[in-house]
Structure formats: structure tokens, C-alpha cells
Amino acid sequence: MSHDVTPSTDSPFRSEPTARDQAPQFVLPLVVRIEKAAPPARTDALETAARAVLVLLSDERSVGDGEWAEVVRHWQDARIRKVVRRARGAEWRRAEALPGITVTGKAAEVRVFPPVPLDGWPKELAKLQVSGTDLDDPEPPAAADASAPVLWLSPDLDMSAGKAMAQAGHGAQLAWWELSAEERAAWRDAGFPLAVRTAAPGRWAELTASGLPLVRDAGFTEIAPGSCTVVADHPALR
């Protein structure tokens, strides 16, 4: 998963080996609540996951001398891995009891946790399912507001909802890194408005060549290494 700023950038998402692979590897856990009787809509879950990443990055516990700051730094010094798991009922209640932040969308609920070592998941999260998380949109999502940030998904890739949630989170994070302190504060104070939409096939090539933050998947799951998955179209970066 690579953000191409210049060809030599040591990106956390680049699929070929980099110095980041020598650092201790951490992962950002995200858990989406999927109750059998009332699953969230796919787009709502994707947007809520992206906002959850931004909420964690901007939380006072994640910066400076905050209690999560050290693990967030370790995570950002290595590959920026995110894993989405699903929970319902008692599983969700156990997940909510762990330190983290629950972010709510229209109906979706996503809890984001401070990064953990790749092989050091809390037992309450380690037992949750990671594969097969799929969701649908009962109705096609409305057109995105062009004045707000849009995370454009590739029209060429078929991703599970869990995979797409992680990719949307990557796109939001790359946009966050590119913004100034003032632009970050304005986005945060507005409640991190954003949309996740699939780009029209004719627009995708234009977006990937635009210079906006671009996620290329490292190929750990589901899709081929180097696949372009998300373009982060934030108005401040156009």
C-alpha cells in the first residue's frame, strides 16, 4: 500500500521491501459491529472506518506524551497495517470494554484501538473473525459533495467490505499526513466529514495521475501487490 509522492519515497504502503520492514511491525485493529438482524450499509461502514482512523490519529492520547503515542509512533514507523474484524452481541461488548474509541456513522459502529504488535492481539480481539465480512448498500449512495473530502475506490477491484474499510482508512491517513496543522484542525473540528465512493472507470486513470494521495496495496490479502486501491481527494490537496 503505497503513497507515491516521489519515486524515492520510503512509503509505509510500498509493496517492495524497504527499511520499514526492519522495524517492529504493529497493526491498527478496527472492529465493526455487525448484528445479524441489522447489519450496517457498506458505504456507511467504509466511511465510519475512515473517520475512526482519523479520530484515533487526532486523539490527544495518540500524540506528544499521550498514553498511546509510543505505539502509534512504532506503528507509523513500520508498515501502516490495518485489520478489520467483526463482532456482535457479547463479542462487541467485550471489544467495547478494551481501551479504544467507538465511532458511529449513520447506523454503522466501528471501534478503533491503539496499535498492537502484529502477533500480540488482545485475546478478546484475536478470536474475532477477520474474513468474510461483506455488506451491501440497500440503495446506491448519493453523489459525493465535491466540496468535502472524497476517498475514491478503484472501480477495477472487487474487495470484501473488511478489506475496503481498511483501504479507506489508509486513504484517510494519507490525506491527514499531507495536510497542514491548520487544515487538520479544521477537518477535525468539523467532525471529519468525508465520503467513500467508487470512481467511474473513466475518471479513475485521471485520479491516479492527479498527484493526490494514492494507496497501493502491499498484497498481504485479497489483491495483487501494487494494486491502486484508493485516491484521497481532499479539497485542501487539489
Side-chain angles (χ1 to χ4, degrees), residues 73 130 217:
R73 282 194 297 272
V130 65
D217 196 72

Side-chain angles (χ1 to χ4, degrees), residues 63-84:
V63 298
D65 296 323
E67 62 187 286
W68 299 341
E70 185 176 7
V71 291
V72 169
R73 282 194 297 272
H74 285 324
W75 171 58
Q76 294 193 113
D77 284 344
R79 298 282 183 175
I80 310 300
R81 299 190 193 209
K82 300 176 181 71
V83 171
V84 177

Side-chain angles (χ1 to χ4, degrees), residues 36-58:
K36 198 174 289 188
R42 180 183 174 99
T43 296
D44 187 16
L46 267 57
E47 292 173 348
T48 305
R51 273 197 298 274
V53 171
L54 294 166
V55 168
L56 179 119
L57 289 171
S58 62

Side-chain angles (χ1 to χ4, degrees), residues 47-235:
E47 292 173 348
T48 305
R51 273 197 298 274
V53 171
L54 294 166
V55 168
L56 179 119
L57 289 171
S58 62
D59 191 279
E60 61 184 11
R61 290 167 288 185
S62 298
V63 298
D65 296 323
E67 62 187 286
W68 299 341
E70 185 176 7
V71 291
V72 169
R73 282 194 297 272
H74 285 324
W75 171 58
Q76 294 193 113
D77 284 344
R79 298 282 183 175
I80 310 300
R81 299 190 193 209
K82 300 176 181 71
V83 171
V84 177
R85 298 189 173 183
R86 66 183 187 272
R88 66 172 184 256
E91 296 172 332
W92 176 256
R93 291 190 292 276
R94 285 192 291 269
E96 277 208 306
L98 297 176
I101 306 168
T102 297
V103 177
T104 303
K106 295 181 180 73
E109 291 179 74
V110 175
R111 190 162 179 85
V112 60
F113 303 86
V116 297
L118 203 53
D119 57 357
W121 284 68
K123 65 181 187 301
E124 296 89 346
L125 303 183
K127 62 179 67 172
L128 299 177
Q129 291 292 318
V130 65
S131 61
T133 301
D134 223 342
L135 300 166
D136 296 311
D137 280 314
E139 301 172 4
D145 178 357
S147 67
V150 183
L151 304 173
W152 294 105
L153 299 176
S154 167
D156 303 325
L157 299 171
D158 183 19
M159 295 184 280
S160 69
K163 179 72 172 181
M165 289 168 72
Q167 298 298 309
H170 292 333
Q173 186 167 4
L174 291 187
W176 178 256
W177 283 348
E178 290 286 300
L179 297 174
S180 68
E182 293 78 10
E183 290 161 346
R184 288 179 178 184
W187 199 11
R188 182 194 64 227
D189 292 347
F192 292 121
L194 58 85
V196 178
R197 297 291 185 272
T198 299
R203 178 101 196 283
W204 183 242
E206 176 189 329
L207 284 165
T208 57
S210 65
L212 289 166
L214 170 67
V215 179
R216 291 183 193 270
D217 196 72
F220 294 123
T221 59
E222 291 194 28
I223 56 179
S227 300
C228 297
T229 58
V230 179
V231 172
D233 182 12
H234 191 291

Side-chain angles (χ1 to χ4, degrees), residues 21-44:
D21 296 318
Q22 307 309 312
Q25 299 293 307
F26 283 71
V27 62
L28 185 79
L30 296 125
V31 174
V32 56
R33 184 178 186 179
I34 303 182
E35 299 293 345
K36 198 174 289 188
R42 180 183 174 99
T43 296
D44 187 16

